[in-house]
Amino acid sequence: MDSGAGTLHFPRGSYRLTRSVIVDLDKTGFTALVGDGTARIVMAGEGPAFKFIGTHDKTAEPKDFKANVWDRQRMPMVDGLEFVGAHPEADGIAASGTMQLTITRTTVRDARHAVHLTVRNRNVIVSDCHFYHNTGIGVFYDNVDLHQSNITGCHISYCAGGGVVSRAGSVFNIQIGSCDIESNMTPDGQPGANVLLDCTGGSVAEVEITGCTIQHNSKSPGSANIRYIGRSKEIHKPADIEKCKSGQISITGNVLSDVRVNIHLQ
């Protein structure tokens, strides 16, 4: 990775890691992790198997980019790999400070979080992936400043902490389309949701959830297919409304079933 080879191709086989591989994009330059569906990454340590770190710290407007982002960092990719957790706190892929992170045709199972997004990222695409049977979250927007992200054509199932979860941060423009998002909760855990958008301590706005099957698990107390927690408790006077950039959510054309509550708005 540190040699700056660019593409790391994983032939068929199992590759065991005991600590995270840090992809410092400004040092490595353009980087892609590529398999053809026959390679398995076994994460036997805590944290993500691979963590991408970029330096982009502003918006996605053209004027806000430093030259090094386009010259060395844009569009880090993961394609055609399987990640398997072999540690209670093993994650699949993590990212901060990236522009155009693209994850395709990738499986993450038996880990904690499949995709863990922190600090700040821009223009993320997750497509044609399988996130299955993880103890944490499928796609986790964790107190992150992230505008423009697309999750399409994915199976996200049996992740005990939630399928797609956003907590705190400043998250705008999430498009979730043509996905199967099922049973991302557990009867013996905290109340969960297949899609959880929690504005407490932050903002989540401009969200589209379209053409998905979102369902299961009816045995879980407090379960919901889609749960949106707004910031109404933080609004005490008219001036606070300007600070509350939350809402604008479109939920349409989905199949919703088999939980205690289909859509929970708080």
Side-chain angles (χ1 to χ4, degrees):
M1 181 67 69
D2 292 342
S3 74
T7 299
L8 272 68
H9 183 265
F10 293 83
R12 179 177 177 175
S14 293
Y15 302 82
R16 183 175 182 268
L17 302 176
T18 57
R19 60 187 176 90
S20 298
V21 177
I22 305 300
V23 187
D24 185 337
L25 293 166
D26 209 42
K27 294 180 180 179
T28 65
F30 303 135
T31 300
L33 312 178
V34 178
D36 56 11
T38 63
R40 170 178 296 165
I41 310 295
V42 178
M43 184 54 183
E46 62 180 286
F50 289 89
K51 182 173 183 179
F52 293 90
I53 299 177
T55 62
H56 185 57
D57 60 358
K58 297 186 183 298
T59 76
E61 293 187 46
K63 65 179 179 59
D64 283 342
F65 284 89
K66 297 176 183 176
N68 65 317
V69 174
W70 295 125
D71 292 343
R72 300 191 59 77
Q73 300 179 24
R74 61 96 183 99
M75 204 171 67
M77 296 183 66
V78 180
D79 180 71
L81 293 172
E82 178 189 29
F83 294 83
V84 178
H87 186 283
E89 297 183 10
D91 298 332
I93 302 160
S96 68
T98 66
M99 174 61 180
Q100 299 173 335
L101 174 69
T102 302
I103 302 171
T104 54
R105 303 187 304 173
T106 291
T107 292
V108 183
R109 62 181 180 86
D110 295 334
R112 183 179 57 173
H113 308 313
V115 176
H116 191 190
L117 304 167
T118 63
V119 186
R120 179 185 291 264
N121 294 275
R122 284 292 184 274
N123 295 37
V124 172
I125 291 178
V126 179
S127 69
D128 304 327
C129 291
H130 305 270
F131 303 145
Y132 179 83
H133 195 233
N134 297 293
T135 60
I137 294 165
V139 181
F140 189 11
Y141 299 76
D142 184 6
N143 194 22
V144 61
D145 189 310
L146 196 163
H147 297 194
Q148 297 90 36
S149 59
N150 297 64
I151 303 171
T152 59
C154 295
H155 285 131
I156 305 175
S157 305
Y158 301 98
C159 298
V164 178
V165 175
S166 177
R167 290 200 174 100
S170 175
V171 180
F172 288 74
N173 313 112
I174 302 177
Q175 284 77 43
I176 304 172
S178 303
C179 292
D180 183 53
I181 306 176
E182 297 193 7
S183 201
N184 294 287
M185 58 204 73
T186 177
D188 55 0
Q190 295 294 319
N194 281 309
V195 178
L196 171 62
L197 308 172
D198 186 353
C199 298
T200 306
S203 297
V204 183
E206 301 169 16
V207 177
E208 177 189 27
I209 305 171
T210 302
C212 298
T213 299
I214 307 176
Q215 60 186 359
H216 306 326
N217 180 313
S218 63
K219 296 180 180 179
S220 297
S223 61
N225 273 322
I226 300 170
R227 173 170 287 131
Y228 182 84
I229 301 172
R231 295 181 57 191
S232 58
K233 291 183 179 180
E234 300 177 33
I235 298 175
H236 304 292
K237 53 185 181 296
D240 291 336
I241 294 175
E242 294 300 317
K243 303 175 185 177
C244 184
K245 297 179 179 179
S246 302
Q248 293 180 295
I249 300 173
S250 174
I251 302 170
T252 183
N254 301 284
V255 175
L256 307 176
S257 68
D258 192 29
V259 290
R260 298 298 177 91
V261 175
N262 270 322
I263 298 174
H264 179 204
L265 306 178
Q266 177 180 316

